[in-house]
Amino acid sequence: MNLLPIYQPLLLPASIPPRDDYADFLASKRVTVKPVGITVADSALNPKLFTFQRAIVRWALRLGKAAIFAECGLGKTGMQLEWAKHVAQHTSGKVIILAPLAVAAQTVAEGVKFSVSVKYCREQAEVGSAPIVITNYERLHLFDPESFVGVVLDESSILKSFTGKTKQAILTAFEPTPYKLCCTATPAPNDHLELGNHAEFLNLMPSNEMIMRWFINDTMAAGSYRLKGHAEKDFWRWLTTWAVCLSRPADLGAQYDMPGFDLPQLIIHEHLLSANQKTIDRTWAEGKLIPDDAPSSTTMHKVKRESLDDRVAKAVELVKPLGDEPIIVWCDTNYEADALLAALPGALEVRGDHKPEVKEERLIGFAQGKGNLLITKPDIAGFGLNYQHCANQVFVGVSYSFEKTYQALRRSYRFGQTRPVNAHLIYAETEGNIMTTLREKQEAFRQMQTAMNAAMAAHGLFRDDKRLDLINSTGAVPMVLPAWLAKVGA
């Protein structure tokens, strides 16, 4: 008796073809990260690049669309310039690099170092015959994306800081661009879903499909997702088919290990300030005996204003003994910046309402030693800039955003820094839960980075024969009949 017609409606969607065509159906649904790029010999690459850097460039060129997630100081700028040069030469077209404010000037200088000509342009009319141009993210609307065959997103994690509208504009503008490269130290600390933005930008997989395939709603945190336990290895393996993830050269394999890539010591100094009279008066007025140490997003600034004078006084106490040593003082608001400028006259300040030219001049000036004290916000100077000449940072307050804190620290704490980095975090006891949240996010990031680096070390580069095949989740979901049922239907 043939029972298959009875069970088939319950087991298979109507769109799945007969079993004789099942192998073809599965083949049509497989998704792989296929190389669409350029094959370049190691000998054709810039000899100024290290061995591991040349390997990454060859790999990224071969894929055509790829991401480089490498720690600060591992030479992402040199690698992206070499990638752009070969794309431009191979296609006889143009490549545009999008970078945070003031990073463009540093990239042009690196281009001179690596003998790669890069033109800094503020609008399309300035491009001319230049094969490689660089501009700031904020000026993208002044360019014609269709005139470029390749695009590089420098510090691509900055996408998370943009509004949804701007982020979508970037994704849309370069959707048909044949060659794409994303470069950042980390795509987004603690936020696996931000990896979906990179995969979508590179035309590899829609972010919603990535979520459906490997993630599940986290019932402990509303609106959040977490990796499915059984899917974790496959997720990281898939990631490393299009993204190289490394904290040091040896993550690519022992053959790429080399001396000189050791991070300096990072010393975090926490300065906990007791509640002052303003806070005590408010607490009693609210009918409470002890101040709350868990401010909400709506009450946080009220709490921060109460402790402002104390935090600024502590910052001055830390800064003064350092003399002419370069120091970055990070703040989150204009009222904090105003108080700091009043207490530290002569400091360079960069704030959001400054003209782009002023921001750029001051940020570059600090890197060049024109001023030893910089007051600014992580949103403005926390991405991409190289301030390894500075080994002292002061955070006048703490933020719930681990990513901003992480990126700000990385301006000084990076490969190439020769001295221990001292970072001072000043906060009132009413902000205590913010520090607890930061520590939790730091541990989550450590676990994420460990998983990414382990996957990279396990699978390495240039492994077409070992690529992960995936079943496309669009359309009907294939189902494999149990062996006993297949026999019944034969």
Side-chain angles (χ1 to χ4, degrees):
M1 179 179 178
N2 188 347
L3 298 178
L4 185 58
I6 299 174
Y7 287 98
Q8 194 167 19
L10 301 176
L11 296 171
L12 297 174
S15 59
I16 292 185
R19 192 173 49 171
D20 292 343
D21 299 325
Y22 196 65
D24 293 338
F25 172 76
L26 289 179
S28 71
K29 289 296 182 180
R30 294 201 178 276
V31 177
T32 57
V33 181
K34 297 178 180 179
V36 295
I38 309 162
T39 300
V40 177
D42 182 78
S43 58
L45 298 177
N46 196 321
K48 293 181 181 179
L49 293 173
F50 294 124
T51 301
F52 78 92
Q53 294 169 337
R54 293 198 303 273
I56 291 173
V57 172
R58 287 177 55 225
W59 167 85
L61 285 168
R62 187 173 178 181
L63 284 183
K65 298 176 181 178
I68 300 175
F69 300 150
E71 275 293 6
C72 300
L74 284 175
K76 290 187 292 296
T77 301
M79 289 187 278
Q80 72 186 30
L81 288 174
E82 187 70 7
W83 182 91
K85 182 184 77 173
H86 283 274
V87 168
Q89 289 178 349
H90 178 79
T91 62
S92 298
K94 300 180 184 298
V95 177
I96 185 171
I97 301 172
L98 299 178
L101 187 68
V103 174
Q106 290 187 352
T107 302
V108 171
E110 285 289 291
V112 174
K113 174 183 173 181
F114 287 98
S115 302
V116 178
S117 177
V118 186
K119 186 177 181 180
Y120 184 17
C121 300
R122 290 177 171 81
E123 59 183 33
Q124 183 71 34
E126 297 177 359
V127 173
S129 60
I132 304 174
V133 302
I134 186 169
T135 194
N136 306 127
Y137 280 100
E138 294 83 357
R139 305 188 73 85
L140 172 60
H141 65 286
L142 299 176
F143 289 81
D144 174 19
E146 293 184 3
S147 66
F148 300 96
V149 297
V151 57
V152 178
L153 299 188
D154 189 11
E155 294 301 328
S156 53
S157 65
I158 203 171
L159 288 174
K160 187 177 182 180
S161 297
F162 284 135
T163 62
K165 184 177 179 181
T166 306
K167 184 189 302 182
Q168 189 57 48
I170 293 173
L171 295 177
T172 302
F174 296 103
E175 197 280 332
T177 306
Y179 296 92
K180 302 183 186 183
L181 184 67
C182 297
C183 296
T184 185
T186 174
N190 308 310
D191 195 342
H192 298 76
L193 301 189
E194 281 300 310
L195 293 166
N197 280 336
H198 286 77
E200 188 162 348
F201 174 79
L202 296 171
N203 307 120
L204 299 172
M205 181 181 293
S207 58
N208 61 342
E209 181 172 335
M210 185 196 80
I211 293 172
M212 179 174 59
R213 190 185 296 277
W214 285 293
F215 291 83
I216 190 172
N217 277 312
D218 189 347
T219 56
M220 301 300 292
S224 298
Y225 293 85
R226 59 178 173 80
L227 271 171
K228 299 173 183 176
H230 66 276
E232 188 169 351
K233 288 185 178 180
D234 279 346
F235 174 75
W236 294 120
R237 185 182 172 194
W238 168 74
L239 177 73
T240 57
T241 62
W242 56 268
V244 59
C245 316
L246 69 158
S247 297
R248 55 195 177 92
D251 288 337
L252 292 181
Q255 69 272 32
Y256 296 106
D257 196 12
M258 61 182 299
F261 284 94
D262 298 306
L263 285 169
Q265 183 181 12
L266 175 62
I267 307 169
I268 301 292
H269 307 269
E270 294 187 20
H271 304 276
L272 174 62
L273 307 180
S274 300
N276 58 26
Q277 192 60 46
K278 292 179 182 178
T279 300
I280 294 172
D281 291 344
R282 174 182 58 81
T283 301
W284 290 0
E286 293 174 348
K288 299 177 183 177
L289 183 62
I290 300 174
D292 187 3
D293 69 346
S296 66
S297 56
T298 55
T299 62
M300 183 187 302
H301 285 294
K302 179 191 294 185
V303 170
K304 282 183 172 291
R305 283 183 181 277
E306 291 173 350
S307 66
L308 177 60
D309 292 343
D310 296 340
R311 289 185 286 118
V312 170
K314 186 63 179 181
V316 173
E317 177 187 323
L318 295 169
V319 167
K320 290 292 187 182
L322 294 174
D324 294 332
E325 275 285 315
I327 309 165
I328 306 173
V329 180
W330 301 103
C331 60
D332 290 320
T333 66
N334 285 345
Y335 63 77
E336 289 173 333
D338 292 338
L340 286 166
L341 280 171
L344 296 168
L348 285 172
E349 191 222 357
V350 181
R351 67 169 66 195
D353 56 7
H354 284 160
K355 292 183 178 180
E357 296 78 11
V358 174
K359 293 179 185 177
E360 197 166 32
E361 179 185 359
R362 294 183 180 182
L363 292 173
I364 295 172
F366 181 70
Q368 295 174 342
K370 300 174 183 177
N372 69 304
L373 181 59
L374 175 66
I375 298 173
T376 190
K377 304 171 186 175
D379 282 336
I380 296 171
F383 292 85
L385 291 164
N386 184 348
Y387 288 149
Q388 65 187 40
H389 74 295
C390 171
N392 298 282
Q393 296 190 9
V394 178
F395 291 78
V396 184
V398 289
S399 164
Y400 279 115
S401 174
F402 173 75
E403 181 175 15
K404 290 180 183 179
T405 305
Y406 170 88
Q407 290 288 357
L409 283 170
R410 286 294 178 171
R411 299 314 102 217
S412 299
Y413 180 61
R414 55 196 295 123
F415 293 111
Q417 173 65 261
T418 59
R419 298 181 293 168
V421 174
N422 288 279
H424 299 268
L425 275 63
I426 305 171
Y427 61 101
E429 63 178 328
T430 47
E431 303 172 78
N433 81 310
I434 300 179
M435 285 301 302
T436 300
T437 300
L438 279 178
R439 293 189 190 100
E440 291 172 350
K441 290 182 177 180
Q442 181 181 29
E443 176 58 22
F445 169 61
R446 186 194 65 77
Q447 295 176 8
M448 174 180 171
Q449 191 174 50
T450 298
M452 290 171 65
N453 295 340
M456 193 71 254
H459 303 297
L461 301 175
F462 308 111
R463 62 181 201 274
D464 291 345
D465 59 329
K466 299 178 182 178
R467 291 190 179 279
L468 177 65
D469 281 345
L470 304 171
I471 301 299
N472 194 329
S473 62
T474 59
V477 179
M479 300 179 64
V480 178
L481 292 174
W484 66 271
L485 184 54
K487 290 180 179 178
V488 171

